[in-house]
């Protein structure tokens, strides 16, 4: 069986998990013209984050500095549709800063979210 880059089954350069991570997100949802009474909103967002393996030979301070000094960032815009506990999104994403291990896919992205209360 042959695998290609980005196959769902196998990706040889994929690193799963880590010991430390950070994530920040800011989102703005706004009504769209002519659709103010619908559960469809415009969506603007910015994301930043990183995940690293904690090096046992280093201390917490140096690992935290390494974690925060290599943040990947992106911004985007799109449309979000909210159902009772489910949110569907179609967004156009713009990677701003990436690491060498990021699998970069600028362009249209589809997302699903759950609302817990």
């Amino acid at each position: 069986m042959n695998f290609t880059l980005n196959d769902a089954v196998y990706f040889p350069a994929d690193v799963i998990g880590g010991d430390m991570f950070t994530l920040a997100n800011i989102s703005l949802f706004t009504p769209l013209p002519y659709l103010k009474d619908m559960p469809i909103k415009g969506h603007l967002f910015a994301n930043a984050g990183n995940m690293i393996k904690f090096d046992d030979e280093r201390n917490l301070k140096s690992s935290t500095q390494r974690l925060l000094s290599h943040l990947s960032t992106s911004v985007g815009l799109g449309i979000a549709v909210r159902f009772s506990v489910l949110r569907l999104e179609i967004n156009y994403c713009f990677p701003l800063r990436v690491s060498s291990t990021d699998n970069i896919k600028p362009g249209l992205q589809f997302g699903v979210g759950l609302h817990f209360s």
Side-chain angles (χ1 to χ4, degrees), residues 16-92:
I16 298 175
D19 301 313
M20 297 179 74
F21 81 96
T22 185
L23 173 67
N25 167 271
I26 187 165
S27 295
L28 172 68
F29 293 92
T30 183
L32 295 172
Y34 308 107
L35 299 174
K36 292 182 185 211
D37 297 329
M38 305 283 290
I40 301 171
K41 305 290 183 197
H43 181 212
L44 301 170
F45 63 89
N47 297 317
N50 192 9
M51 179 180 287
I52 64 168
K53 179 163 177 41
F54 185 77
D55 189 347
D56 294 331
E57 296 175 11
R58 297 179 181 204
N59 62 25
L60 180 60
K61 182 179 178 181
S62 65
S63 292
T64 302
Q65 288 173 340
R66 187 167 45 106
L67 177 72
L68 297 175
S69 67
H70 296 93
L71 293 175
S72 296
T73 58
S74 65
V75 295
L77 58 102
I79 296 174
V81 181
R82 173 111 186 241
F83 300 97
S84 61
V85 296
L86 183 70
R87 184 177 72 218
L88 300 176
E89 299 177 5
I90 297 176
N91 297 309
Y92 194 88

